[in-house]
Amino acid sequence: MNQNLTCKTVQELEEFLREHYHAEQIEPIEYLLYNARQQVLNLFYPEQMQQISEQVGFSPEADEEISALFDCMTETFDRETAKSCYVQYRFEQTAPEGAQAVFYITVEKRNTGFVLPQFEWASDGQEQEFPDVSEEDYRYFNRIMREIVLYQGVSEQDIRENSSKYERYQIAKEFWDSVC
């Protein structure tokens, strides 16, 4: 499989978000940061997360106290050992048939370049958690998510070596191709 992919930096991704989507950097929103941190730690530090989990006795059925201790220890590992540095961007988009969404992009910019785009429905003052959105508008928003997730690409070396970065890229590409 001969793919001509370019590998872009986190800075290029940030510039792309600002120029293409008029995204603004915001103070990180805690629950979105939590989601990104958990994914970074599970993808890039699975052995350490397993050790912390075993150390505190964490499991999906763990009580609140154990879960809170696990969260605290993983956050400490992320901040002090992994030394992750997160930034968040926000922008709004209106799809062709009128659905509106607010996108939040969390990027770990120091070590991994991991990017996690998420969106929420824009509030028009009405309490509507799941608005009536057309299939076309869903695909529109999914294409934005795909573009952001895959923007950085992978290097020719990653492809040649079938690196874990390339494997993650391939998995993400297959998923986003299936929903777009």
Side-chain angles (χ1 to χ4, degrees):
M1 166 177 12
N2 187 1
Q3 295 182 332
N4 185 17
L5 301 172
T6 58
C7 190
K8 295 181 178 75
T9 66
V10 170
Q11 290 75 22
E12 288 173 305
L13 171 64
E14 290 178 292
E15 188 176 308
F16 170 75
L17 291 171
R18 286 189 298 268
E19 289 180 6
H20 192 74
Y21 291 108
H22 307 290
E24 294 182 1
Q25 187 172 342
I26 61 171
E27 192 66 35
I29 297 170
E30 190 54 43
Y31 75 94
L32 298 171
L33 183 58
Y34 178 87
N35 291 343
R37 178 183 297 117
Q38 294 307 312
Q39 290 193 40
V40 164
L41 294 174
N42 288 322
L43 279 172
F44 297 95
Y45 306 99
E47 296 84 17
Q48 294 88 336
M49 291 305 96
Q50 182 64 33
Q51 289 172 350
I52 293 172
S53 179
E54 290 170 1
Q55 184 180 353
V56 300
F58 178 76
S59 71
E61 299 81 30
D63 65 28
E64 251 181 67
E65 192 175 309
I66 296 293
S67 295
L69 178 60
F70 177 75
D71 286 346
C72 181
M73 290 180 73
T74 57
E75 184 177 338
T76 299
F77 171 84
D78 190 47
R79 183 181 58 251
E80 295 177 7
T81 305
K83 299 191 184 310
S84 298
C85 176
Y86 298 93
V87 294
Q88 275 182 1
Y89 287 87
R90 178 190 184 281
F91 64 89
E92 296 181 22
Q93 285 287 288
T94 301
E97 294 187 13
Q100 295 181 318
V102 179
F103 283 78
Y104 296 94
I105 315 304
T106 306
V107 181
E108 194 293 308
K109 62 188 286 178
R110 180 173 293 146
N111 304 312
T112 64
F114 179 80
V115 60
L116 180 62
Q118 300 171 84
F119 74 85
E120 299 173 351
W121 302 116
S123 172
D124 58 4
Q126 299 174 2
E127 288 298 318
Q128 190 175 10
E129 194 168 328
F130 298 104
D132 196 17
V133 176
S134 72
E135 184 70 26
E136 181 183 339
D137 283 0
Y138 265 116
R139 288 190 185 286
Y140 175 81
F141 293 135
N142 282 337
R143 284 191 301 272
I144 292 171
M145 300 277 279
R146 179 189 185 280
E147 180 176 44
I148 293 168
V149 166
L150 300 179
Y151 181 79
Q152 289 175 289
V154 292
S155 69
E156 292 294 333
Q157 181 178 348
D158 284 320
I159 295 169
R160 277 193 311 277
E161 295 173 358
N162 199 29
S163 71
S164 58
K165 182 177 181 178
Y166 179 60
E167 289 176 13
R168 285 190 301 274
Y169 179 89
Q170 286 295 100
I171 290 167
K173 185 175 182 332
E174 286 176 25
F175 170 78
W176 288 107
D177 286 351
S178 76
V179 297
C180 289

